[in-house]
Amino acid sequence: MNYNDGANKEQVRLEGRVTEIVHRAFWDSLQEQLNSDPPNYNHAVILLQEVKTMIQSLLLPGHVRLRAQLDEVLDMELIQQEVDNGALDLHRLAGYIINTMASLCAPVRDPQIRALRDLEDPRDLLREIFRVLGLMKTDMVNFTIQSLRPHLMQQAVQYERAKFQQILDKQPASLDNTTAWLQAAASEEVAAVTARSESSSPDTRGPVSATAVLNRAYMSLLRWEPQDQKYPETVLMDRARLDALGQRLQMLVLEASVLLLTNAQCGGSVFSLQGCVGKLRQSIAALLEGSHAREADLKGALLGLGETVQQQVPEALRAQGGAALRQESLDLLKGQISELWKQNHPVRTLIGERVQVFLQVMLQGSPTKRSPELPAPLRLVSAELAEMGTAFGRIVHFNRTVFGPFYAPILRKLLFPPGEAETGDDSR
């Protein structure tokens, strides 16, 4: 663990503790003032002014009448006069504040507003009013961000597209790697379409879709070789995120492969044992962490993982009264897991293909297309796959929106030579 990280966490913990003590002291002091005879409302008046300011920050320009009513009821000069004359009705003001909050809050805050009405102690009431108002301010900020998001996204698209066009005007070769990237994807897609048509009927082959080529190109970024320097220029800004997703994908494929081998050798009953799968997945994740960089690291991690699985499965069976497995099966399982470092391992290849299909379907995003049925080991990691697919889809969607006008002429030239008709399927 990094020493600086530990020191920072300790500092944050200490600051949180100090803040908690100060807040508790403030509210205890307020309680003493309100319980004194006669009550001292000095702190309460300050709090009412802050509450008024917070409510005003939630008002929209169209809340003219509500703003005027707020100024009338929470007139601080009048409230101070009532304090001086011993006539302040704190519960009446709190009731008005709660009603105003109820008219402004999002429906998700209704239970908290109702809980405020049940509070009798003035100290607890003011403290909870402040807490709920803080949540309402957060709701307002989130709503504003969501409202502005489409506009901000459009601005970002236009800005990035214009900047890239400026680079392209100065350096016309700035699309060379992108062209090669799309050309490789187009060749793969043509080969795949040809193979499918030959397996059914040679006359059924249709035109190659530009969208399918582009999706295939995006998928190739998840398995890009680090030493390959010809990374497409249009995706350079997203390379770090795509490389991270590719590493996560590799680890998920290995995890699902280990689960599939365990299921095949030990039987499906192992997965039904309480807590067995969770403990097994924790061990897999811990032992494979950081092993993607070098082949030697992956070999060592898988060897250790095979030994761990060889120990955990019999222990889980014994703990729950299951039948013991033969040692030959456990030794075979250990050997199979240790061989998963090979890129062409049949189980690893099978799982990788299923994952690729799953992500491609998510990438297409068509409501008429259903996600493919996943084998049992992949269903165990379906939540992680869906999360990864969503993150990957966001990157792809934004990149396609920004650079679609640059991809279109390249794809048109690759797929539709002069004289051939186009499918009308563009790159956006």
Side-chain angles (χ1 to χ4, degrees):
M1 180 177 179
N2 188 294
Y3 174 78
N4 290 332
D5 290 343
N8 290 337
K9 289 181 180 179
E10 185 62 32
Q11 182 178 356
V12 170
R13 192 180 299 112
L14 179 60
E15 290 176 355
R17 180 63 178 162
V18 170
T19 301
E20 179 185 350
I21 293 173
V22 171
H23 284 180
R24 185 185 301 121
F26 172 81
W27 292 110
D28 288 346
S29 173
L30 176 65
Q31 181 78 66
E32 291 179 6
Q33 288 188 355
L34 295 177
N35 290 339
S36 62
D37 189 19
N40 183 344
Y41 291 109
N42 288 340
H43 283 174
V45 171
I46 296 173
L47 291 176
L48 288 173
Q49 174 63 63
E50 293 185 16
V51 167
K52 179 180 179 181
T53 302
M54 292 178 73
I55 293 177
Q56 286 174 332
S57 70
L58 298 173
L59 298 180
L60 299 175
H63 289 141
V64 178
R65 182 177 178 181
L66 191 56
R67 192 181 299 274
Q69 189 180 48
L70 184 66
D71 288 334
E72 179 182 344
V73 176
L74 294 182
D75 183 337
M76 301 314 299
E77 292 186 4
L78 179 60
I79 289 175
Q80 187 59 55
Q81 292 177 11
E82 292 176 347
V83 169
D84 295 340
N85 295 321
L88 180 66
D89 188 345
L90 197 55
H91 278 90
R92 178 184 66 84
L93 295 177
Y96 167 77
I97 290 170
I98 294 171
N99 290 334
T100 303
M101 291 168 63
S103 67
L104 294 173
C105 73
V108 71
R109 301 301 171 200
D110 287 345
Q112 289 152 317
I113 296 295
R114 286 195 295 270
L116 290 177
R117 301 184 190 279
D118 297 332
L119 295 176
E120 296 292 337
D121 184 76
R123 190 269 308 264
D124 294 341
L125 185 56
L126 286 171
R127 182 169 57 189
E128 284 302 295
I129 284 174
F130 264 90
R131 187 184 68 83
V132 177
L133 277 174
L135 295 174
M136 289 173 61
K137 288 188 70 174
T138 302
D139 294 339
M140 176 65 77
V141 171
N142 290 335
F143 173 76
T144 303
I145 292 174
Q146 290 176 0
S147 301
L148 292 175
R149 189 185 301 276
H151 176 71
L152 295 175
M153 286 290 291
Q154 187 60 34
Q155 292 292 320
V157 167
Q158 293 175 358
Y159 175 80
E160 290 204 22
R161 188 182 295 165
K163 283 295 181 183
F164 189 79
Q165 184 62 59
Q166 291 176 9
I167 295 173
L168 196 58
D169 291 340
K170 295 178 181 179
Q171 303 174 11
S174 296
L175 279 174
D176 287 357
N177 291 347
T178 299
T179 302
W181 168 58
L182 293 176
Q183 188 171 17
S187 298
E188 291 178 9
E189 184 64 22
V190 168
V193 170
T194 302
R196 286 196 297 268
S197 64
E198 289 177 350
S199 63
S200 54
S201 171
D203 298 331
T204 60
R205 177 183 172 183
V208 177
S209 163
T211 299
V213 171
L214 197 51
N215 285 343
R216 184 179 288 272
Y218 283 124
M219 292 295 298
S220 70
L221 297 174
L222 293 177
R223 53 183 187 278
W224 196 272
E225 292 295 335
Q227 63 270 20
D228 189 347
Q229 300 299 318
K230 296 184 178 181
Y231 205 81
E233 300 89 348
T234 53
V235 202
L236 272 174
M237 294 292 291
D238 297 311
R239 181 168 188 176
R241 289 191 295 165
L242 288 168
D243 286 349
L245 284 176
Q247 292 166 10
R248 286 177 56 197
L249 181 62
Q250 180 183 345
M251 292 299 103
L252 271 181
V253 168
L254 287 171
E255 180 178 344
S257 300
V258 172
L259 293 173
L260 178 57
L261 289 172
T262 305
N263 183 62
Q265 286 296 329
C266 304
S269 60
V270 173
F271 282 9
S272 64
L273 297 176
Q274 184 178 5
C276 179
V277 174
K279 186 177 180 181
L280 192 59
R281 290 193 61 191
Q282 288 178 356
S283 298
I284 294 172
L287 290 172
L288 291 182
E289 184 178 4
S291 64
H292 61 271
R294 294 193 312 157
E295 188 175 279
D297 293 337
L298 183 58
K299 285 183 180 180
L302 287 170
L303 186 61
L305 180 57
E307 295 173 352
T308 300
V309 174
Q310 192 182 36
Q311 294 173 0
Q312 285 187 355
V313 171
E315 288 175 359
L317 287 170
R318 282 196 299 269
Q320 301 191 37
L325 294 173
R326 293 186 307 168
Q327 187 61 41
E328 293 84 354
S329 297
L330 293 173
D331 292 339
L332 180 59
L333 175 60
K334 175 185 173 183
Q336 289 176 332
I337 291 175
S338 66
E339 291 293 308
L340 283 174
W341 66 269
K342 298 177 181 177
Q343 292 284 350
N344 60 349
H345 190 286
V347 173
R348 183 174 174 180
T349 301
L350 173 65
I351 294 294
E353 290 173 352
R354 296 290 182 89
V355 169
Q356 292 283 326
V357 172
F358 180 85
L359 291 178
Q360 280 181 333
V361 172
M362 288 197 69
L363 200 58
Q364 291 167 358
S366 173
T368 60
K369 291 184 178 291
R370 298 179 57 188
S371 296
E373 187 68 22
L374 295 173
L378 272 181
R379 285 198 291 271
L380 294 174
V381 297
S382 60
E384 291 86 346
L385 271 178
E387 180 185 351
M388 183 181 300
T390 301
F392 183 50
R394 288 198 191 102
I395 296 173
V396 168
H397 174 73
F398 185 76
N399 182 270
R400 194 198 304 263
T401 304
V402 174
F403 297 103
F406 300 101
Y407 296 145
I410 299 174
L411 291 170
R412 190 178 298 114
K413 184 177 179 180
L414 290 172
L415 301 178
F416 314 112
E420 291 190 12
E422 299 182 18
T423 64
D425 188 9
D426 62 29
S427 62
R428 297 170 293 178

